[in-house]
Amino acid sequence: MGAGFAGLEATKALAASPVEVVLIDQKNHHCFQPLLYQVATASLSPADIAWPIRAILRNQRNVDVMLARVLGIDQDRNVVRTTAGEIAFDYLVLATGATHHYFGHPEWEKSAPGLKSVEDATRIRSHILMSFEAAEVAHDLQTQRYLMTFVIVGGGPTGVEMAGAIAEVARQTLRRDFRHIDPAEASIILLEAGTRLLPAFPEKLAASAHRALEAAGVDVRTSAQVTTCDQGGVVAGGKRIAAGTVIWAAGVKASPAAEWLDAPHDRNGRVAVNENLSIPGWDNIFVVGDTAAASSGGRPVPGVAPAAKQMGEYVGRLISARIAGNPANAPFRYRDYGTLATVGRRYAIVKLGRFELTGFMAWLFWSVVHVYYLIGARNRAVVALNWFWNYMTFQRGARLISS
């Protein structure tokens, strides 16, 4: 269930096994989520980071791809209930990912969209571009300032990358496109409830990213917890911020997998799993990726793409071994390949074990890593060429208002 990073890797790991794989997803495409913010800020088009699931798996003959939405799971009968009917299983792998977390305020989603899908990205892109268009025809300065105020809630990698990209759009890409407004006067405000940005990074690297954002013209505010969010802006740190655009990057919660399974879970809805990623009491049901509250070596496994890919591959290989009569059940071990975040078009921070890198060289490393993980030679080439063109010209070719 789920054709994200974890689901695809689990499916591919079963390619050589004598099994029938049914891959269920409510979308017909796999999305490279780490680059969604570049779609949202008009640097890439959706086709550059999304691929049809059937095309990805067309050469794997033991896979049946099903476009359907999961309604529930009956463990006692080994059945998944979907909008396309009931599907029986011998082994079940849940890789249904995560969605936005509004911390008890689901009504905020209408005013502050999150970024988890292609649809989210194109909606945000249209809203950002439309804000400048509306400001161009506004008749008073106060309205222009309101329309050109962008608030990003959440100082993790998504929030930092989004804030840097919007600043670049306003200060560089659009600066000569309008006659009655100056996009460079846009106000980009990044709010973080904690005391610093990027808590998953060492403090030195996080401080470096903070300085890079401020140098790009982003107003970074820490210890600024959002307590109110509506169509007119937010209240953060006790202060009202009027803003025409609010983007949510403050947290995620798991899919309803814990409810489907009636299984123990953490406060973010992630299913508690055994050391082999199965759920307690059911050795044929596995939960992987952002849906799982997994640990490795006594430490929580982070909700990042490399971890999801590793979990999916591990479970696929484990199932293959069991089918082959090999009872080996070594626990899952996460291999940390590093943590990366980018600020704009030429600055990034990288943490690889004891190795730390900042600035332009870190941005080059970040770019190579992300291009490498894209699916297909065409997409790697297109994204690499787009980034090079954007770097040389400050132009963004996907500036379409589609809704």
Side-chain angles (χ1 to χ4, degrees), residues 111-398:
S111 308
L115 189 58
K116 279 292 178 185
S117 68
V118 169
E119 292 81 3
D120 293 336
T122 54
R123 213 163 24 238
I124 291 172
R125 179 186 68 187
S126 294
H127 189 86
I128 291 172
L129 296 175
M130 195 62 211
S131 295
F132 288 105
E133 296 291 345
E136 173 77 350
V137 297
H139 298 295
D140 63 276
L141 185 59
Q142 184 176 356
T143 302
Q144 289 178 345
R145 287 176 176 170
Y146 165 77
L147 290 168
M148 292 198 299
T149 298
F150 302 87
V151 170
I152 300 95
V153 182
T158 299
V160 167
E161 291 171 345
M162 195 73 188
I166 294 176
E168 185 179 287
V169 169
R171 311 282 190 257
Q172 302 291 343
T173 306
L174 301 179
R175 62 178 179 174
R176 297 179 181 176
D177 287 9
F178 293 88
R179 300 293 177 264
H180 304 293
I181 60 170
D182 181 2
E185 294 180 354
S187 177
I188 297 97
I189 303 170
L190 178 60
L191 303 175
E192 166 56 37
T195 56
R196 69 177 180 91
L197 301 179
L198 301 167
F201 285 81
E203 188 168 355
K204 179 182 177 181
L205 290 181
S208 174
H210 189 139
R211 291 192 297 270
L213 283 171
E214 290 184 331
V218 177
D219 180 359
V220 180
R221 305 183 188 182
T222 55
S223 300
Q225 182 176 356
V226 172
T227 54
T228 300
C229 181
D230 53 44
Q231 293 292 337
V234 300
V235 174
K239 297 180 180 179
R240 177 74 181 179
I241 303 172
T245 301
V246 180
I247 299 170
W248 192 264
V252 296
K253 66 177 180 179
S255 69
E259 299 176 19
W260 297 334
L261 297 169
D262 192 23
H265 56 84
D266 64 12
R267 63 180 183 178
N268 292 325
R270 298 179 302 172
V271 178
V273 295
N274 298 319
E275 62 180 9
N276 69 348
L277 305 182
S278 65
I279 65 171
W282 303 88
D283 62 0
N284 67 329
I285 299 177
F286 301 87
V287 182
V288 295
D290 290 344
T291 317
S295 61
S296 174
R299 296 183 178 182
V301 177
V304 294
K309 290 168 73 74
Q310 291 177 37
M311 283 191 272
E313 181 182 8
Y314 166 86
V315 167
R317 291 184 180 278
L318 186 150
I319 293 173
S320 292
R322 287 189 185 179
I323 292 170
N326 183 356
N329 202 18
F332 171 72
R333 288 289 178 261
Y334 169 58
R335 299 177 296 279
D336 187 356
Y337 293 134
T339 313
L340 309 88
T342 183
V343 181
R345 74 184 185 102
R346 58 181 180 181
Y347 195 95
I349 57 174
V350 173
K351 170 70 173 175
L352 295 173
R354 296 182 179 180
F355 177 71
E356 297 179 358
L357 190 63
T358 63
F360 179 70
M361 294 304 297
W363 181 84
L364 283 178
F365 181 84
W366 176 93
S367 301
V368 170
V369 168
H370 281 71
V371 168
Y372 172 78
Y373 276 108
L374 292 172
I375 294 176
R378 172 204 170 271
N379 295 88
R380 294 189 185 105
V382 167
V383 171
L385 287 172
N386 276 342
W387 278 342
F388 176 76
W389 180 255
N390 291 343
Y391 179 80
M392 297 299 294
T393 67
F394 285 98
Q395 294 302 305
R396 291 173 181 245

Side-chain angles (χ1 to χ4, degrees), residues 10-29:
T11 300
K12 292 176 180 178
L14 290 163
S17 297
V19 297
E20 178 187 357
V21 181
V22 180
L23 179 59
I24 309 168
D25 200 290
Q26 62 181 351
K27 306 285 187 182
N28 79 328
H29 57 270

